[in-house]
Amino acid sequence: MRYITLRDLEVSRIGLGAMGMSHGYTGAGTDDAESIRTVHRALELGVTLVDTAEIYGPYTNEELLGRALKGRRDQVVLATKFGLVSHGGDGTWNLDSRPANIRTAVEGSLKRLGTDHIDLYYQHRVDPHTPIEETAGAVAELIAEGKVRAFGLSEAGPDTIRRAHAVQPVTAVQSEYSLWTRGIEDRVLTVLRELNIGLVPFSPLGRGLLTGAVRSTDAFDANDFRRGNPRFTGDNFRHNLALADEVRAVAAEIGATPAQVALAWLLAQGDDIAPIPGTKRVARVEENTAADALTLTAAQLDKLGSLPPAAGATHSEAQARMLER
């Protein structure tokens, strides 16, 4: 596994998103033992960047990682997020990045993760009711106290990034970015490179669609958020399956899997990018990390890069209102 630097953090070029082990996807939370084996296998393969959030579960994903990383904490750049739980206020799925709420959140995350510090602490979504300067200042205090090493933002727009960075340098911005979700390239990515901020793409495999393994939504259980996602419904879904077949065709040419091709394309976009494909299975983490050794030709990159965008919004209307992009 090769490594890159997100401003001041050295991380594996491919990380591990842990959300689906406990939250959001079909089967989440049903096999913690396999999820823990997956974390351990990722570490064996050289993965160092592991990502979670207090809202995943809520809380159960951090607890799971705390168990998985016991005795292995020094092998990991551990990232978690605050801001989608209003502690002592309106509860889960409510934006709250007030300094007092961040204080409560970090103590809970530290306890659940079984650690005395968080390597990369993201604001999960921008809170329009709290000036970003106050939020950045609160994280700066946690950094000074040694409870946090680095500050990150998730799905923040250019103005918010600049204002936060002026108070406390931002190490990384997390945003959805993949072969067919490229809206950040013109507005956000240029600002990140200007300010020497790394990019951590989530959903780099299109929530499973780019792997070619999802051909129907019939097997999604009632808790799978993709059931209501615009990209997985009706004509949008059929259009997006055809795009996935284009990725599959490139993969067949070079003896790779579609997931590996999608990740290799993303890695080719710069050495300041560390995607975090999510999985809860050992076989998948082995497949995903193998993309680190895959190099696409210029012609293959051009072919993939010229694919039309996916049909449908990336989020539901309620979720989209929390995005700045």
Side-chain angles (χ1 to χ4, degrees):
M1 176 69 69
R2 285 173 283 179
Y3 298 84
I4 64 166
T5 300
L6 302 174
R7 190 173 186 85
D8 45 13
L9 284 180
E10 184 181 73
V11 300
S12 53
R13 285 212 307 167
I14 299 174
L16 174 63
M19 183 188 83
M21 297 176 179
S22 311
H23 174 93
Y25 287 93
T26 297
T30 60
D31 194 346
D32 284 357
E34 175 67 3
S35 292
I36 289 172
R37 285 192 293 270
T38 298
V39 174
H40 293 172
R41 183 60 178 144
L43 301 186
E44 292 170 357
L45 293 167
V47 171
T48 61
L49 179 59
V50 179
D51 183 273
T52 183
E54 64 173 357
I55 193 64
Y56 299 158
Y59 311 127
T60 54
N61 196 237
E62 287 185 328
E63 293 168 349
L64 175 66
L65 283 186
R67 299 195 300 274
L69 296 175
K70 189 173 183 179
R72 296 174 167 85
R73 175 65 181 89
D74 60 356
Q75 299 178 46
V76 173
V77 176
L78 185 55
T80 192
K81 311 177 197 73
F82 66 87
L84 278 178
V85 180
S86 182
H87 300 276
D90 296 325
T92 58
W93 299 108
N94 285 282
L95 295 170
D96 191 344
S97 286
R98 293 173 296 176
N101 195 63
I102 296 171
R103 283 275 171 187
T104 302
V106 76
E107 294 302 333
S109 290
L110 290 170
K111 182 177 180 180
R112 289 186 290 272
L113 291 165
T115 186
D116 63 356
H117 72 282
I118 294 163
D119 295 302
L120 180 53
Y121 202 34
Y122 292 100
Q123 181 192 43
H124 207 154
R125 293 290 186 270
V126 176
D127 177 5
H129 305 296
T130 303
I132 193 62
E133 291 82 1
E134 292 184 14
T135 299
V139 176
E141 291 179 2
L142 297 177
I143 291 172
E145 295 167 14
K147 294 181 178 180
V148 170
R149 287 181 62 199
F151 177 36
L153 299 171
S154 180
E155 294 289 27
D159 181 62
T160 297
I161 294 167
R162 290 185 187 280
R163 289 166 53 202
H165 189 73
V167 175
Q168 168 60 44
V170 176
T171 291
V173 167
Q174 188 173 125
S175 189
E176 184 169 354
Y177 184 40
S178 70
L179 258 176
W180 59 19
T181 304
R182 300 176 60 179
I184 68 165
E185 289 179 336
D186 293 333
R187 296 184 65 248
V188 174
L189 190 51
T190 53
V191 173
L192 301 187
R193 287 176 170 160
E194 174 193 335
L195 300 176
N196 188 30
I197 298 170
L199 175 64
V200 177
F202 68 84
S203 296
L205 300 177
R207 300 184 175 90
L209 266 176
L210 284 169
T211 68
V214 178
R215 307 302 299 182
S216 167
T217 61
D218 292 345
F220 293 170
D221 66 29
N223 295 319
D224 196 314
F225 76 102
R226 292 174 295 182
R227 290 183 68 90
N229 185 278
R231 290 195 171 177
F232 287 81
T233 57
D235 290 340
N236 290 344
F237 185 58
R238 287 184 285 275
H239 171 87
N240 295 335
L241 285 179
L243 293 182
D245 288 340
E246 295 290 334
V247 180
R248 184 198 299 265
V250 173
E253 291 175 5
I254 59 178
T257 69
Q260 289 164 350
V261 167
L263 290 170
W265 178 89
L266 196 52
L267 293 171
Q269 305 313 302
D271 58 6
D272 52 357
I273 296 174
I276 48 169
T279 186
K280 56 183 181 290
R281 297 185 180 90
V282 169
R284 289 298 187 195
V285 85
E286 292 174 342
E287 175 185 356
N288 292 342
T289 53
D292 178 58
L294 181 62
T295 300
L296 300 173
T297 66
Q300 290 162 347
L301 290 169
D302 287 344
K303 180 178 181 179
L304 292 164
S306 64
L307 288 175
T314 60
H315 291 73
S316 68
E317 289 185 16
Q319 294 167 335
R321 285 194 289 269
M322 295 184 182
L323 310 179
E324 283 198 342
R325 288 193 189 170

